[in-house]
């Protein structure tokens, strides 16, 4: 076998030589393409990070009037009206551990509402969502059966917590599962407003049951995807802002930091740092000089007024909120339990919940010879006394010939709780009550007891079942409750399993008046406990094992109650009862109802000791049917003696900023804008009540002679060294309960010395004072040149960008060396066939 080797011809040799320059060009183009590709990939990486906030199938939001997002889903086929809606409020300016309210209408009553906190940076149809232990809770995508009540458009509601969990700060990622649960556990995610955006996904899911997820993937037709944004962390205020400590009532805990954050970057920015957020030591701290400003929501409390005797001070109204009987409640139909979002209560019903008289709606019945009701707000006698004259014989299903005891046992369902809060047919209303109120001084406690002792016993309408089972009808009767709030409140609840805590104990509310503190009814009861903060109240209400049992939705028919400020109730995702006002209407605390009530506030006269000068009298007999009966004002207590220029200016600027913010529509949930008339009066009072010394001259120029000119010298005092603000005095009051939400006010990177707390700087003795008139000078905040590109990357990808940049530079340098480095000339000669 022979092998023939082909010998190239001259023509083919020339052809190869002519290809060599072409190959060199290809190598050059290859280097350029690799370099451009690397740089382009770098740009693409930056772009994906900067656009992360728009990932996911975001829905189109409409304003809902409550700082939230209202989404209308497409109507079912063949339907053009009453389309499904989803409302999530609020969805902006959120804080860590805050709850948002989710409300749906017109969903299929045979289906469920699925709610999940998800990462917006993952799949838009099957995102990664919170699933597992987080913030002391076991949270999962929650599935709630849709309420079957056409009269409310099948309105279904619940509250769900949101969490601020930024990446790159040593935080743990939020545990996750893919929402449709086809693959199971997913990588954890972070949650913030910029680099790790989150969203609340609300889906109309077919069927009802206990297993969440495994439902449809997210589409525009079945889901509302609502973006979440968080308030600026409290480190955004310049270090040059004056700072001082303040005590606040719980009613200011969420407004003060928001007001400070909104104004601290202005030329008049001031930071007020909350050292106590309750009413326990506010007046004593102010009186002792531990705080130059204090905020109170129970200005008329005689015990507080007594602590301020002999002090020169004034009240200035700064915020409008209210006291609410907050609740978490559920009702059941078969195996499904539904959250209750509305509930009507009279003053007497609130009194019975405070005292533990009403532990269940039906109470108990005694046996013959005189069967009657006990521990129940029963209305059968009121129904018979009404113009409708509804006796047991007229009530559907009442036994007529079986004896008085059976009739009484049948009539237990005709109580105020069940008649005022009727449920659809086949649904079981709450059967057990619990109540958790504050056992430390609270403006909410003071206002609630003042209200139930002052409110008239106004008749109200109820609807009852009449006719027969074969021919059912209903009737409406206007009844006057034979049980009254003052009597219920001042009478020990005989037969209660909560009271007394020991035999022979004296009743804790002997007279009907405002009480700032509720002594504990029992140290062992599981459903009538006393807690010191709204956070603990909400935690106990949500953790009650027979009701919510730590879940987002109820596990049975129940209702847990707690008196607190409306701002606190809404922060912790609690529902708020509609209270009966003097006109007989049942009104929930909304922006409109709080403003309607405030329109009837009147300035207190100079001579009324129960209504301090500078405050407003609340009219609990207001006939306005739109007015919420327990609207309330929070006041700043300010010193009226002469203040140094630095201290007086800082106090005035802080309160001016708070008033401007409180008068705006930007107030957090649970507040209403301060009415125009009260705002104008407050600004006038602020200018009149503060006496501020003139600023000292800052420079002095010496006299010059004809032959010599001296350099001007500055006579200002030397700035003090920035230090942390000292704690309040431990001798007179000290700090009360520490704020549950951390430092109130937008703290700075370096806290400057606290301002003097007394009128004259030379006599400043309060332990928060610096003893000087000058405001410490701090360096301006660091700035970033506007030409720099800021890119935020998560902890797992922070090394990706540098690696790509190095790759691009290496490709460029390698290509240049290949073309022009050592040996490049020989390669070119070889390629062109030129002899060396």
């Amino acid at each position: 076998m022979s092998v023939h080797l082909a010998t190239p011809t001259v023509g083919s040799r020339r052809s190869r030589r002519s290809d060599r320059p072409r190959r060199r060009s290809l190598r050059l183009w290859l280097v350029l393409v690799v370099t451009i590709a690397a740089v382009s990939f770098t740009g693409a990486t930056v772009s994906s990070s900067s656009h992360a906030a728009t990932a996911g199938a975001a829905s189109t939001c409409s304003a809902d009037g409550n700082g939230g997002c209202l989404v209308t889903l497409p109507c079912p086929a063949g339907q053009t009206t009453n389309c499904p809606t989803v409302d999530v409020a609020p969805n902006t300016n959120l804080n860590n551990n805050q709850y948002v309210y989710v409300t749906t209408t017109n969903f299929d009553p045979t289906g469920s509402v699925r709610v999940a906190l998800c990462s917006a940076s993952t799949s838009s149809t099957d995102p990664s969502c919170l699933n597992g232990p987080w913030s002391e809770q076991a949270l999962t995508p929650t599935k709630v059966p849709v309420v079957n009540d056409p009269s409310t458009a099948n309105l279904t509601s619940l509250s769900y917590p949101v969490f601020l969990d930024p990446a790159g700060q040593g935080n743990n990622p939020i545990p996750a599962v893919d929402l449709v649960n086809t693959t199971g556990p997913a990588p954890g995610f972070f949650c913030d407003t910029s680099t790790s955006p989150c969203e609340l996904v609300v889906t109309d899911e077919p069927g009802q049951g206990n297993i969440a997820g495994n439902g449809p993937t997210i589409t525009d037709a079945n889901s509302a995807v609502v973006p979440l944004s968080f308030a600026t962390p409290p480190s955004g205020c310049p270090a040059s802002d004056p700072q001082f400590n303040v005590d606040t009532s719980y009613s200011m805990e969420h407004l003060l930091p928001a007001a400070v954050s909104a104004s601290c970057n202005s030329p008049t920015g001031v930071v007020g740092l909350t050292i106590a957020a309750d009413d326990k030591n506010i007046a004593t701290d102010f009186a002792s000089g531990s705080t130059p400003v204090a905020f109170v929501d129970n200005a008329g409390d005689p015990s507080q007024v007594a602590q301020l005797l002999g002090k020169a001070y004034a009240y200035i109204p700064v915020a409008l909120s209210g006291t609410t009987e907050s609740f978490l409640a559920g009702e059941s139909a078969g195996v499904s339990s539904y959250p209750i979002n509305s509930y009507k209560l009279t003053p007497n019903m609130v009194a019975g919940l405070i005292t533990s008289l009403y532990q269940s709606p039906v109470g108990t019945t005694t046996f013959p010879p005189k069967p009657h009701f006990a521990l129940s707000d029963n209305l059968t006698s009121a129904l018979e006394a009404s113009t409708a004259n509804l006796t047991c014989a007229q009530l559907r299903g009442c036994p007529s010939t079986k004896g008085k005891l059976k009739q009484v046992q049948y009539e237990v369902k005709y109580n105020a709780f069940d008649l005022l809060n009727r449920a659809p047919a086949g649904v079981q209303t709450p059967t057990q009550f619990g109540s958790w109120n504050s056992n430390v001084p609270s403006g909410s406690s003071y206002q609630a007891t003042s209200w139930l002792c002052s409110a008239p016993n106004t008749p109200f309408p109820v609807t009852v079942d009449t006719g027969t089972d074969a021919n059912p009808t209903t009737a409406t009767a206007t009844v006057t409750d034979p049980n009254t709030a003052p009597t219920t409140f001042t009478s020990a609840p005989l037969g209660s399993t909560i009271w007394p805590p020991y035999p022979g104990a004296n009743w804790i509310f002997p007279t009907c008046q405002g009480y700032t503190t509720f002594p504990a009814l029992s140290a062992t009861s599981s459903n009538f406990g006393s807690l010191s903060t709204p956070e603990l109240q909400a935690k106990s209400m949500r953790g009650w094992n027979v009701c919510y049992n730590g879940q987002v939705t109820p596990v049975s028919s129940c209702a847990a109650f707690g008196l607190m400020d409306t701002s606190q109730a809404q922060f912790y995702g609690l529902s708020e009862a509609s209270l009966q006002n003097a006109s007989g209407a049942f009104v929930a605390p909304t922006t409109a109802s709080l403003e309607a009530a405030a329109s009837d506030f009147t300035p207190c006269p100079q001579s009324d000791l129960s209504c301090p000068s500078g405050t407003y009298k609340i009219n609990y007999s207001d006939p306005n049917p739109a007015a919420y009966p327990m609207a309330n004002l929070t006041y700043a207590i300010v010193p009226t003696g002469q203040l140094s220029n630095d201290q007086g200016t800082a106090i005035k600027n802080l309160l001016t900023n708070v008033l401007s913010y409180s008068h705006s529509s930007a107030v957090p949930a649970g507040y209403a804008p301060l009415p125009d008339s009260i705002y104008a009066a407050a600004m006038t009072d602020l200018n009149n009540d503060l006496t501020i010394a003139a600023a000292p001259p800052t420079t002095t120029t010496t006299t010059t002679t004809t032959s010599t000119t001296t350099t001007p010298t500055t006579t200002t005092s030397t700035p003090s060294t920035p230090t942390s603000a000292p704690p309040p005095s431990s001798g007179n009051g000290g700090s009360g309960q520490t704020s549950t939400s951390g430092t109130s006010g937008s703290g700075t990177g370096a806290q400057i010395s606290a301002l003097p707390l007394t009128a004259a700087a030379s006599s400043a003795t309060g332990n928060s004072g610096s003893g000087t008139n000058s405001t410490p000078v701090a360096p301006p905040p660091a700035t970033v040149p506007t030409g720099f590109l800021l890119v935020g990357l998560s902890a797992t990808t922070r090394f990706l960008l540098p690696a790509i940049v190095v790759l691009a530079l290496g490709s460029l340098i390698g290509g240049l060396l290949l073309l022009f480095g050592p040996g490049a000339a020989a390669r070119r000669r070889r390629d062109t066939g030129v002899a060396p």
Side-chain angles (χ1 to χ4, degrees):
M1 178 178 178
S2 60
V3 177
H4 299 277
L5 298 177
T7 303
T9 63
V10 174
S12 64
R13 188 180 298 115
R14 288 177 179 174
S15 175
R16 291 181 182 179
R17 288 178 178 176
S18 65
D19 285 343
R20 286 168 182 166
R22 192 175 303 165
R23 292 175 183 174
R24 184 184 63 178
S25 300
L26 289 174
R27 284 198 297 269
L28 175 61
W29 279 108
L30 178 62
V31 170
L32 292 176
V33 167
V34 170
T35 303
I36 293 172
V39 174
S40 300
F41 187 72
T42 302
T45 303
V46 173
S47 177
S48 66
S49 174
S50 62
H51 291 301
T54 61
S59 301
T60 302
C61 290
S62 300
D64 66 351
N66 293 311
C69 167
L70 177 63
V71 178
T72 301
L73 300 179
C75 278
Q79 184 176 321
T80 59
T81 60
N82 299 325
C83 299
T85 67
V86 176
D87 187 15
V88 176
N91 73 311
T92 60
N93 207 35
L94 299 167
N95 291 279
N96 185 39
N97 287 311
Q98 181 174 352
Y99 279 77
V100 299
Y101 293 88
V102 180
T103 304
T104 66
T105 61
N106 297 316
F107 274 37
D108 182 356
T110 65
S112 300
V113 178
R114 184 181 65 193
V115 180
L117 175 66
C118 305
S119 170
S121 301
T122 54
S123 168
S124 62
T125 58
D126 186 17
S128 296
C129 303
L130 168 59
N131 183 77
W134 191 254
S135 190
E136 300 183 1
Q137 300 177 78
L139 297 165
T140 63
T142 299
K143 187 175 179 181
V144 184
V146 176
V147 174
N148 186 4
D149 187 358
S151 66
T152 64
N154 295 341
L155 187 148
T156 304
S157 68
L158 76 155
S159 57
Y160 201 89
V162 297
F163 305 101
L164 175 63
D165 188 43
Q169 298 182 6
N171 298 326
N172 292 324
I174 296 173
V177 66
D178 70 301
L179 183 55
V180 181
N181 201 20
T182 56
T183 61
F189 62 93
F190 295 94
C191 195
D192 58 34
T193 303
S194 55
T195 60
S196 305
C198 288
E199 58 197 14
L200 211 67
V201 179
V202 184
T203 304
D204 184 359
E205 181 173 305
Q208 297 182 351
N210 296 324
I211 300 177
N214 300 313
T217 57
I218 298 172
T219 68
D220 293 338
N222 66 17
S223 298
V225 180
V226 179
L228 304 174
S229 65
F230 293 85
T232 303
S235 59
C237 294
S240 56
D241 279 354
Q243 296 183 10
F244 53 80
N245 295 334
V246 299
D247 281 359
T248 73
S249 58
Y250 287 120
S251 62
M252 282 292 285
E253 187 175 10
H254 300 295
L255 190 142
L256 180 60
V260 167
S261 180
S263 60
C264 67
N265 284 292
S266 70
T268 59
V270 178
V271 176
L273 298 174
T274 298
I275 59 174
D278 61 25
D279 289 337
K280 185 175 183 180
N281 297 298
I282 292 177
T284 53
D285 281 357
F286 177 82
S288 67
S290 296
T291 55
V293 176
F295 297 94
V296 298
D297 56 358
N298 59 338
D301 179 15
S303 63
Q304 176 178 277
V305 173
Q307 297 178 69
L308 298 173
L309 289 176
K311 304 298 179 181
Y313 67 98
Y315 289 107
I316 298 174
V318 294
L320 174 63
S321 58
T323 294
T324 178
E325 184 68 278
S326 65
F327 68 92
L328 286 171
E331 54 191 18
S332 299
V335 297
S336 299
S337 294
Y338 309 84
I340 297 176
N341 70 300
S342 62
Y343 209 71
K344 296 178 181 178
L345 294 173
T346 66
N348 178 69
M349 295 159 75
V350 172
L353 291 171
I354 292 173
T355 65
S356 81
L357 179 65
Y358 302 143
Q359 299 174 50
S360 72
V362 299
T364 61
T365 56
T366 64
F367 292 96
K370 293 183 178 180
H372 63 277
F373 305 104
L375 304 173
S376 172
D377 191 6
N378 194 272
L379 298 179
T380 53
S381 61
L383 288 169
E384 189 170 353
S386 69
T387 54
N389 190 26
L390 293 173
T391 64
C392 188
Q394 277 81 44
L395 301 179
R396 188 190 313 166
C398 179
S400 57
T401 61
K402 299 299 183 181
K404 183 68 173 177
L405 177 59
K406 286 194 174 183
Q407 288 186 353
V408 169
Q409 290 175 331
Y410 169 80
E411 292 170 346
V412 293
K413 65 181 181 180
Y414 292 96
N415 61 79
F417 291 95
D418 287 332
L419 290 182
L420 283 173
N421 302 283
R422 286 173 60 92
V427 175
Q428 174 65 62
T429 55
T431 58
Q432 188 171 354
F433 297 150
S435 187
W436 286 266
N437 295 316
S438 176
N439 62 358
V440 298
S442 164
S444 297
S445 299
Y446 183 78
Q447 184 174 35
T449 49
S450 298
W451 166 66
L452 62 85
C453 290
S454 305
N457 187 29
T458 307
F460 52 89
V462 294
T463 300
V464 296
D465 296 322
T466 56
T468 64
D469 292 339
N471 185 27
T473 58
T474 59
T476 300
T478 299
V479 299
T480 300
D481 196 334
N483 304 297
T484 62
T487 301
T488 297
F489 181 60
T490 56
S491 302
L494 299 177
S496 168
T497 61
I498 309 299
W499 178 268
Y502 56 88
N506 293 324
W507 181 232
I508 56 179
F509 302 119
T511 59
C512 210
Q513 63 183 52
Y515 287 84
T516 302
T517 303
F518 288 174
L521 294 173
S522 170
T524 60
S525 62
S526 62
N527 62 329
F528 273 79
S530 296
L531 289 309
S532 57
T533 68
E535 180 184 31
L536 292 177
Q537 288 177 262
K539 184 176 180 179
S540 295
M541 292 163 63
R542 200 172 290 278
W544 186 24
N545 61 342
V546 302
C547 195
Y548 271 61
N549 197 29
Q551 306 300 313
V552 178
T553 56
V555 297
S556 68
S557 299
C558 59
F561 297 94
L563 290 165
M564 63 183 67
D565 191 81
T566 50
S567 62
Q568 296 285 354
Q570 295 200 25
F571 184 87
Y572 293 113
L574 307 176
S575 299
E576 295 171 303
S578 297
L579 302 180
Q580 185 191 27
N581 62 21
S583 75
F586 290 86
V587 182
T590 63
T591 297
S593 65
L594 291 172
E595 290 179 329
S599 66
D600 199 35
F601 289 177
T602 55
C604 292
Q606 294 286 340
S607 57
D608 189 349
L609 296 179
S610 65
C611 191
S613 178
T615 68
Y616 286 76
K617 189 175 184 63
I618 300 173
N619 183 10
Y620 294 124
S621 298
D622 186 355
N624 184 353
Y628 181 68
M630 285 201 290
N632 197 22
L633 287 171
T634 299
Y635 300 89
I637 310 178
V638 299
T640 55
Q642 188 177 51
L643 302 169
S644 68
N645 184 267
D646 288 341
Q647 183 186 28
T649 300
I651 291 175
K652 184 174 182 180
N653 286 343
L654 174 66
L655 294 184
T656 299
N657 294 339
V658 170
L659 281 167
S660 297
Y661 181 81
S662 186
H663 184 230
S664 73
S665 59
V667 291
Y671 299 94
L674 206 61
D676 293 344
S677 59
I678 297 179
Y679 168 75
M683 291 299 296
T684 300
D685 291 344
L686 180 60
N687 291 322
N688 293 339
D689 292 336
L690 292 181
T691 303
I692 305 174
T698 57
T699 59
T700 301
T701 304
T702 60
T703 304
T704 61
T705 64
T706 57
S707 58
T708 304
T709 302
T710 60
T711 302
T713 59
T714 302
T715 60
T716 55
S717 58
T718 303
S720 60
T721 304
T723 60
S724 295
S729 170
S730 60
N732 292 318
S735 68
Q737 173 68 36
T738 302
S739 170
T740 59
S741 61
T743 300
S744 186
S746 296
T748 63
Q751 187 172 325
I752 65 176
S753 298
L755 295 174
L757 302 182
T758 54
S762 60
S763 61
T765 58
N767 62 358
S768 294
S770 64
T772 65
N773 281 339
S774 63
T775 302
V777 177
T783 58
V784 178
T786 56
F788 277 55
L789 175 63
L790 302 180
V791 180
L793 296 175
S794 69
T796 58
T797 60
R798 58 181 176 169
F799 298 111
L800 180 61
L801 179 59
I804 295 173
V805 172
V806 171
L807 174 64
L809 292 176
S811 299
L812 179 61
I813 294 172
L816 293 175
L817 289 175
L818 182 64
L819 293 176
F820 305 108
R827 286 193 297 273
R828 284 195 297 271
R829 286 192 298 270
R830 184 173 61 251
D831 290 342
T832 56
V834 178

